[in-house]
Amino acid sequence: MSESPTRRTVFRVLGIDPAAAGPTGYGIIESDGRNCRMVHYGALKVAEKLRKESAGAALQAVHALICGLLRDFSPDALAVEAIFSALNVKTALRLAEVRGVVLLAAAQHGITVHSYAPRLIKASVAGYGNADKQHVQAMVRSLLAMTEIPEPAHAADALAVALCHMQHEQFRVRFAVPAMSAVKSSRLLRGRNAPRASGALAARIQPLR
């Protein structure tokens, strides 16, 4: 489901909720400094038959999805959920593979990736780190002033990841906290233009009033 992709002077974030076996959620939001809105969201589910036929089919599908979103919506940043340390080894390895594909797609398009722990994402959106999926969905709908609950839950989680990063950036700009990792990545990608790009970014990300 999507809204008009018309660009304004805004800061746009692509959030990704990687999955070991289920759908990989994605959500794009943008803020003009006063309001934050949903641009596009959904979830990619690879058919079980295709997954069994090729071990890399799911990863190829995720890569194609991320590249398509980066190309079509030109986000300013990409945020992804970090791997939960309590997961079993098999699940953690599968998630690491999906995250690796996300990182590859981002690097190919010259966009910085930001990673956030699941509990931090829930706390940023719902107020506490143990919020269930229904609560996260309801809060995402409220924060983005959506007319309906975002479905499936994986898509809502991806929107929550994007919201978490948006809040982080607004806090960073408000209190002038340097983004060291982002600056280093920008310099590697754009050389001498990095400081100028950083200033332009700060001008667009204004704290919500």
Side-chain angles (χ1 to χ4, degrees), residues 13-28 41-45 62 65-66 69 78-84 87 94-96 98-99 102 113-119 121-122 133 136-137 140 152-163:
V13 180
L14 166 61
I16 300 295
D17 176 45
T24 291
Y26 55 90
I28 302 173
Y41 72 93
L44 171 69
K45 183 173 178 59
V62 171
L65 168 71
I66 303 302
L69 292 172
L78 189 155
V80 62
E81 183 175 289
I83 298 176
F84 186 42
L87 294 174
R94 287 180 178 176
L95 276 176
V98 177
R99 278 174 50 85
V102 173
V113 178
H114 305 267
S115 184
Y116 297 94
R119 287 179 60 86
I121 295 169
K122 292 179 180 180
K133 288 187 176 296
V136 171
Q137 286 176 290
V140 166
H154 300 283
D157 289 343
L159 289 170
V161 175
L163 279 167

Side-chain angles (χ1 to χ4, degrees), residues 11 13 29-31 36 162-170:
F11 182 67
V13 180
I29 66 173
E30 65 182 18
S31 174
C36 191
L163 279 167
C164 178
H165 180 65
M166 188 71 77
Q167 292 177 13
H168 173 84
E169 284 298 298
Q170 289 168 347

Side-chain angles (χ1 to χ4, degrees), residues 112 114 178-191 194-195 198:
T112 303
H114 305 267
M180 294 302 297
S181 59
V183 169
K184 289 180 180 178
S185 298
S186 298
R187 285 175 179 168
L188 288 174
L189 293 171
R190 293 185 291 271
S198 178

